[in-house]
Amino acid sequence: MDNLSRRGLLTGAGAVVAAGTLGVPAATARTLSLPTSKRFVMGGAGGEIFRSKPLQDVTVMQSFAFDTPNNRLFTGQVRAGSSANSGNLTLTQLSIDTGAILGHMYLTGFGHAVSIGAEAVGSTTYIWTETDVDTANGRGRQITRFPWRNGTTLTSTSVTKWKPVANGTVFTPAVDQRYGRLGVRYALSDGMHINVYSLAAARAGDFSTVLASFKQPALTSGVAFQGWALYGSYVYLWEGNAYPGSPNQDDVTSKLWCYDINAGQLVDSFRTLAGWSLTYREAEGMAVYGSTDATARLYFGFASGVAGDRRANLFYRNELT
C-alpha cells in the first residue's frame, strides 16, 4: 500500500537490531511448543522467480501464497478504485514459472491482505484471508476460508467467518502446508501476537486447541511490517519501507527475520539488497513453497513501478540449517 502510515499499526516499536544479530530482544511471552524443524538461513543461498510482473489491478501487491501440491501462486492487493479502508481486495492467480496472469477474484469488505494463505484439497485451492473489515483501519476482524473460483466476486457476508481469539483484532492467516498448521496473527492491547493451530481443526472451525502462542517481538523502529510466514517450528517476519526517491543501496530498509517458536526469541535477521535497483521497491508479502526440505523455498516479495502501474517481484531463500 502506498500510504505507509496505514501499515504503522502493524509495526512493533522497539530497538533497532543490526542485521545478523542473534537472540534479540529478551525472550517474549509464549506458551507450548512444536516439534523442531529446520529453519531457513536469512542471509543464505537464494534467487528470484520473476520481476516487474503486472497483476489484475495496478495497486501495490500486499501478499501472496502458494498452493504447493497444485503448483499455484496467488497474490492479494487492495482493489483499484477502492479506498484503503474499504476492505475491497483483488486476488490474482499467476503462473509460477512466468508470472503471467491466469485468473482473478474480487473480495468485497474483507480487509487489507497483509497475509493470505493457500491450502490444497485435491485439485481445489482454498484461500485463507482476513474478512469482516473494520473500516476505521481497513483491517479484518475475523478470518475466513473459501475455494478459489476464477472470475467470481465474494462479499464478507457470504463466507463463513471465525474469530480465533475473542478479544483480538487485526487478524491475518498464514498456512503451513507441509506441517499441516495454520498461523493466526492478531492484535491485543499490548501488541501483536501469533497463535498456531492444527490446519485440519481450523478448517472445521475448531480453534479450541492452541499448539503454540507468543507475542511478536519488536522489530526495527520506524520500519513498516510487511508480511510473515509459518514453517515448522519457526515464524518468518518481513519488514521494509518504500524508497523515498531514486533507488540507492543506502535506502534499503528491507529485513528478513526468523523467530524460533520453541526458544521464544529471534534467532536470525538479514538486511537484504535483493532487487535494490527496482523503482519504488516496497517490501510486500512472504510465503513458503515446497513439500520437503530439498524443495522448500521461503519467498519474499516487493512491489515496484510507478503509481498507477505497480508491479510484483518475488525473491527467495532456500538454504536450511
Side-chain angles (χ1 to χ4, degrees), residues 101-238:
I101 295 174
L102 301 178
H104 72 277
M105 287 183 72
Y106 292 127
L107 309 179
T108 302
F110 276 61
H112 191 67
V114 171
S115 176
I116 63 173
E119 174 194 359
V121 179
S123 61
T124 300
T125 302
Y126 281 80
I127 305 295
W128 287 81
T129 69
E130 64 197 284
T131 191
D132 187 22
V133 66
D134 181 348
T135 54
N137 57 33
R139 268 57 178 185
R141 292 177 286 200
Q142 300 186 76
I143 61 172
T144 188
R145 170 185 181 268
F146 53 85
W148 171 263
R149 294 286 184 265
N150 183 34
T152 61
T153 299
L154 293 180
T155 63
S156 181
T157 57
S158 69
V159 296
T160 301
K161 292 172 277 194
W162 303 290
K163 191 172 185 179
V165 180
N167 58 338
T169 61
V170 192
F171 287 92
T172 57
V175 174
D176 181 349
Q177 295 171 95
R178 180 179 177 188
Y179 293 95
R181 300 182 188 124
L182 177 75
V184 177
R185 184 173 182 266
Y186 59 97
L188 294 178
S189 60
D190 64 343
M192 302 305 299
H193 293 249
I194 292 175
N195 286 0
V196 180
Y197 303 91
S198 158
L199 183 58
R203 76 167 69 102
D206 181 2
F207 296 91
S208 60
T209 301
V210 180
L211 303 179
S213 179
F214 63 94
K215 180 182 177 184
Q216 180 184 305
L219 302 180
T220 307
S221 179
V223 178
F225 182 86
Q226 303 286 18
W228 68 286
L230 169 68
Y231 187 71
S233 57
Y234 296 90
V235 162
Y236 299 91
L237 307 165
W238 180 220

Side-chain angles (χ1 to χ4, degrees), residues 1-27:
M1 182 175 179
D2 292 348
N3 186 349
L4 291 176
S5 65
R6 297 189 184 277
R7 300 299 287 269
L9 65 91
L10 299 181
T11 306
V16 174
V17 181
T21 301
L22 304 182
V24 290

Side-chain angles (χ1 to χ4, degrees), residues 15-78:
V16 174
V17 181
T21 301
L22 304 182
V24 290
T28 54
R30 63 189 177 88
T31 59
L32 311 177
S33 62
L34 299 171
T36 301
S37 66
K38 289 188 175 182
R39 67 173 175 85
F40 291 99
V41 179
M42 298 296 88
E48 65 181 87
I49 180 171
F50 55 65
R51 294 194 188 203
S52 299
K53 297 297 182 179
L55 303 179
Q56 179 66 27
D57 277 342
V58 295
T59 57
V60 166
M61 175 184 73
Q62 299 293 333
S63 57
F64 57 93
F66 294 97
D67 171 349
T68 295
N70 291 307
N71 206 40
R72 295 169 183 157
L73 167 62
F74 303 90
T75 64
Q77 61 191 131
V78 175

